Amino acid sequence: MDVRQEDFSLNNNNRIDVTQQEVDQMKLRGYNEDLLPKTQDKRNMSWKNYFTLWMGSVHNIPNYTAVGGFLFLGLSPINIIFAIILSSLAVAALMVFNGKAGAKYGIPFSMHLRATYGNKGAKLPGFLRGVIAAIAWFGLQNFTASLALLILIGKIWPGFLTLGGDFNFFGIGLPGLIAFTIFWAINVAIGLGGGAILNKFTAILNPLIYVVFIGMAIWAVIVGGGIGNILAYRPPVESVQNNSAILVYFMIINSVLAVWAGPGASVADFTQNAKSERDQKFGQTASLLVAYVIFAFSSVFILIGGSIHYGIEEWNVLNIVNKWDSLPVVMLCIVVLLMTTISTNATGNIVPAAYQLAALFPKKINYRKGVVIAGIISYIIMPWKLMENSESIFTFLNMIGAVLGPVIGVMLAQYYFVAKQKIDLNQLYMDDTKDNKNNQYYGVNKPAYIATIIALVVSMLGQFIPSLHIISSLSFLVGCGLSFVIYLVLKRQSIQN
């Protein structure tokens, strides 16, 4: 018997559950296990799981590097702290609102895209998120964290840092290449383990985060002369940009949103497992708010306190840790930094990359094969090339925001204002062997494509036209907002016509 939309109804948890029989029917249409809606027995993530899910994704090395850049935008340290906390609320809103479709219908990101762009139209935005953005970011995260692993190995075995002599592999020495390969392999292994391994991993990680980063912040306050001295700190005048306070707040919010653009787009891959809408809503909001409050204070205190203590400007947390004399303390801090990066890489990069590869080639690639393929690509693109200068990570984040902001804007507009939070699962999981021209999800949603492309082009202009550099600094906000408005206007016009 065919699956009918009228057979589905909201349960007490504000979600629509499909039976195993209905899922089996969808499977007969050619969809692999990773693309099917979750049945009730598989939707087992409570608010506690969501609370721990993102905690480890905040305290990573690139995020600390970004805060070092924030200190030169013209705001005082206390304003930077407030801006980061405000950013966490913006990220939480993004994750909760864009995650509602996954929580309600149990569908993954790839099917959420199909409900927005059409079964053929979903391939390009899926490729941008799951292949281009996720794999590139996966490789870059691996490389930045491998620098921490290199410090750790060097502290334990100093001779390791001289291995290979003048050996150079496209810009990286042998010790760096070995450290990168080891950390890359660990991340791929975690990705292969999937959500079950990730939940156990984050349960171990999160208590350590509180201990290590709060401890580092206390150390920084002590050696930095107290909280008042840290909050009164100002970088050299000649190195500080002359921006209005309101603009800097938006620049910081944009940067933090750009960091989360990938997970924000594909959050349905995680919310599809929610026990209820409340679980994903409360869990994600609490997770991001608590994590970013700790991060806002610890990052500013550690970077400024360390700079005051050592008498030089140290805007890289690894350089500060590397100056410590106590090997056990160095080992503990670096291990936690490595673990947070693994958590970030798994939830935000390798998992969605694998799912998208499976969605692009459903008959040839499943989730585990997708992990392997994504991992191999992330290695051969030589991500150390993306970090050859200090501005690289900010340029990369602005590009990610410009690419994914428009996609997210269209997704939100479609689900909440066009579809009115309703998705026809029977039509969504169409039989590709039949005539589907009357199916609402068939083909390409042209207004969605037009809105996405226009917003993407506009938000990228700042990268190529110096006079429009401000657009680049607000790429996510500009792209998301513009695509949202354009799409609704185009849909209204198409209905009127």
Side-chain angles (χ1 to χ4, degrees):
M1 190 174 82
D2 215 9
V3 182
R4 301 292 180 188
Q5 176 64 20
E6 56 265 24
D7 293 335
F8 300 122
S9 60
L10 284 172
N11 64 16
N12 293 332
N13 290 321
N14 196 33
R15 73 183 195 198
I16 290 177
D17 289 320
V18 296
T19 66
Q20 187 60 51
Q21 181 182 3
E22 292 162 342
V23 169
D24 290 340
Q25 178 69 39
M26 296 174 183
K27 190 182 295 185
L28 291 175
R29 299 175 182 176
Y31 297 92
N32 65 43
E33 192 71 32
D34 300 319
L35 300 179
L36 297 171
K38 296 293 184 181
T39 52
Q40 183 177 358
D41 61 302
K42 294 180 180 178
R43 302 182 72 171
N44 51 16
M45 287 186 69
S46 69
W47 71 266
K48 295 178 182 178
N49 297 122
Y50 286 107
F51 182 77
T52 59
L53 179 64
W54 303 123
M55 290 290 290
S57 300
V58 175
H59 297 270
N60 57 68
I61 297 167
N63 278 358
Y64 273 85
T65 302
V67 172
F70 295 162
L71 294 169
F72 294 91
L73 294 178
L75 283 184
S76 64
I78 191 64
N79 272 289
I80 292 173
I81 291 172
F82 287 150
I84 293 173
I85 294 174
L86 186 61
S87 300
S88 73
L89 297 177
V91 172
L94 167 63
M95 304 297 279
V96 167
F97 281 106
N98 208 36
K100 190 169 184 180
K104 182 176 180 179
Y105 290 96
I107 58 174
F109 165 60
S110 55
M111 300 309 292
H112 188 188
L113 270 186
R114 174 180 283 210
T116 303
Y117 287 89
N119 69 320
K120 295 182 179 179
K123 295 186 181 299
L124 177 59
F127 180 79
L128 292 174
R129 163 58 183 123
V131 180
I132 301 299
I135 292 178
W137 193 229
F138 179 70
L140 187 140
Q141 287 270 23
N142 280 336
F143 173 67
T144 57
S146 74
L147 298 177
L149 180 59
L150 191 61
I151 290 174
L152 180 60
I153 298 175
K155 290 284 186 181
I156 299 172
W157 177 21
F160 177 79
L161 300 178
T162 61
L163 289 179
D166 296 331
F167 172 86
N168 187 289
F169 181 75
F170 294 99
I172 189 171
L174 183 59
L177 186 62
I178 293 174
F180 172 72
T181 303
I182 292 173
F183 193 71
W184 168 85
I186 293 172
N187 277 262
V188 172
I190 293 291
L192 288 171
I197 295 295
L198 187 59
N199 286 337
K200 295 177 182 179
F201 185 84
T202 54
I204 297 172
L205 170 65
N206 292 323
L208 288 175
I209 289 177
Y210 284 100
V211 172
V212 169
F213 289 104
I214 291 176
M216 289 178 69
I218 293 172
W219 167 84
V221 169
I222 294 173
V223 300
I227 294 177
N229 199 38
I230 289 177
L231 295 181
Y233 179 84
R234 297 293 185 276
V237 176
E238 62 274 10
S239 61
V240 177
Q241 299 179 26
N242 184 23
N243 297 307
S244 69
I246 294 178
L247 175 60
V248 175
Y249 262 83
F250 277 109
M251 290 171 68
I252 292 174
I253 292 171
N254 182 83
S255 294
V256 176
L257 282 169
V259 169
W260 289 89
S266 59
V267 65
D269 283 338
F270 298 96
T271 58
Q272 66 173 330
N273 300 306
K275 289 183 176 180
S276 69
E277 167 65 16
R278 181 184 178 278
D279 280 298
Q280 76 96 4
K281 184 185 299 182
F282 178 77
Q284 291 200 97
T285 301
S287 176
L288 289 161
L289 182 58
V290 171
Y292 264 106
V293 167
I294 297 173
F295 173 76
F297 283 95
S298 65
S299 60
V300 171
F301 284 3
I302 291 168
L303 294 174
I304 294 179
S307 295
I308 294 174
H309 177 61
Y310 291 113
I312 56 175
E313 294 182 356
E314 285 291 3
W315 309 120
N316 187 323
V317 68
L318 291 180
N319 292 342
I320 293 174
V321 172
N322 193 33
K323 286 182 168 60
W324 292 348
D325 296 324
S326 173
L327 180 59
V329 173
V330 171
M331 289 179 63
L332 177 62
C333 290
I334 289 183
V335 167
V336 170
L337 280 169
L338 293 175
M339 290 176 70
T340 59
T341 303
I342 290 173
S343 176
T344 304
N345 247 350
T347 56
N349 299 314
I350 196 65
V351 170
Y355 277 128
Q356 276 309 297
L357 286 170
L360 289 170
F361 307 99
K363 296 182 179 179
K364 296 182 178 179
I365 298 176
N366 58 20
Y367 171 79
R368 291 178 64 84
K369 289 181 180 179
V371 169
V372 174
I373 293 171
I376 292 173
I377 296 174
S378 73
Y379 195 102
I380 62 178
I381 64 173
M382 297 182 291
W384 52 88
K385 290 290 186 181
L386 298 175
M387 294 292 292
E388 288 185 321
N389 61 71
S390 59
E391 298 296 324
S392 296
I393 190 169
F394 298 104
T395 301
F396 182 77
L397 283 176
N398 286 334
M399 294 288 284
I400 294 297
V403 169
L404 295 182
V407 173
I408 293 173
V410 171
M411 292 176 74
L412 292 171
Q414 165 65 24
Y415 185 69
Y416 286 96
F417 293 93
V418 177
K420 307 295 185 183
Q421 301 185 52
K422 294 181 180 179
I423 296 175
D424 188 326
L425 292 181
N426 183 52
Q427 290 197 33
L428 186 64
Y429 287 88
M430 66 186 73
D431 187 342
D432 290 329
T433 64
K434 297 181 179 179
D435 183 6
N436 294 301
K437 292 184 179 180
N438 293 324
N439 188 308
Q440 62 178 309
Y441 305 117
Y442 177 76
V444 177
N445 182 351
K446 294 180 181 179
Y449 255 62
I450 293 171
T452 301
I453 292 171
I454 292 175
L456 189 153
V457 171
V458 172
S459 57
M460 292 278 284
L461 287 176
Q463 299 286 344
F464 306 101
I465 303 176
S467 61
L468 298 177
H469 180 70
I470 186 62
I471 294 178
S472 177
S473 300
L474 303 174
S475 60
F476 180 91
L477 294 172
V478 170
C480 184
L482 194 59
S483 68
F484 185 95
V485 172
I486 293 174
Y487 180 63
L488 290 183
V489 170
L490 292 175
K491 289 298 287 186
R492 177 172 295 183
Q493 288 180 345
S494 64
I495 292 174
Q496 292 175 348
N497 295 332

